Amino acid sequence: MIESEMKGSVNRATIYRALNRFHEDGLVHKVQADDGKQYFTINTDCEDDHFHFRCTNCGKVECLEQEIKIELPEGYTCANINAIVSGLCAGCIDKLRKE
Ligand SMILES: [Zn+2]
Ligand SMILES: [Zn+2]
């Protein structure tokens, strides 16, 4: 995650401002996760409606390519989907297997 990489050199408010700016520019996604915290993920050229994944072991949050298909009642329109899946990422499963 961006935030952890930049820690130490810049303060949190500066990071947050920068991330919000990136968010406005569509460079990152803002994710309200199932743990109640906000995360930013780098937009890897994915479509608007997709799942986000949070690893409960390493805390990584990322965009998943899988598209979300939901059906709304007639007359409803969808403006935003906030879908987060939590579990273990491939890297952590790998590590846990080796231990
Ligand atoms: Zn992980
Ligand atoms: Zn995303």
Side-chain angles (χ1 to χ4, degrees), residues 9-72:
S9 50
V10 225
N11 74 49
R12 273 189 90 82
T14 310
I15 296 168
Y16 202 76
R17 254 199 310 273
L19 285 171
N20 271 305
R21 182 67 216 279
F22 289 156
H23 181 244
E24 278 163 28
D25 293 344
L27 297 172
V28 296
H29 288 156
K30 206 193 260 183
V31 183
Q32 178 76 43
D34 56 332
D35 61 357
K37 292 183 194 153
Q38 264 190 359
Y39 294 91
F40 290 92
T41 63
I42 294 164
N43 186 354
T44 48
D45 216 20
C46 41
E47 296 297 319
D48 269 353
D49 303 336
H50 55 272
F51 286 100
H52 288 106
F53 185 91
R54 183 175 72 88
C55 178
T56 51
N57 189 50
C58 66
K60 182 171 76 176
V61 177
E62 59 190 339
C63 296
L64 298 181
E65 279 171 27
Q66 282 73 11
E67 195 189 333
I68 303 170
K69 292 236 191 291
I70 54 154
E71 283 189 32
L72 292 172

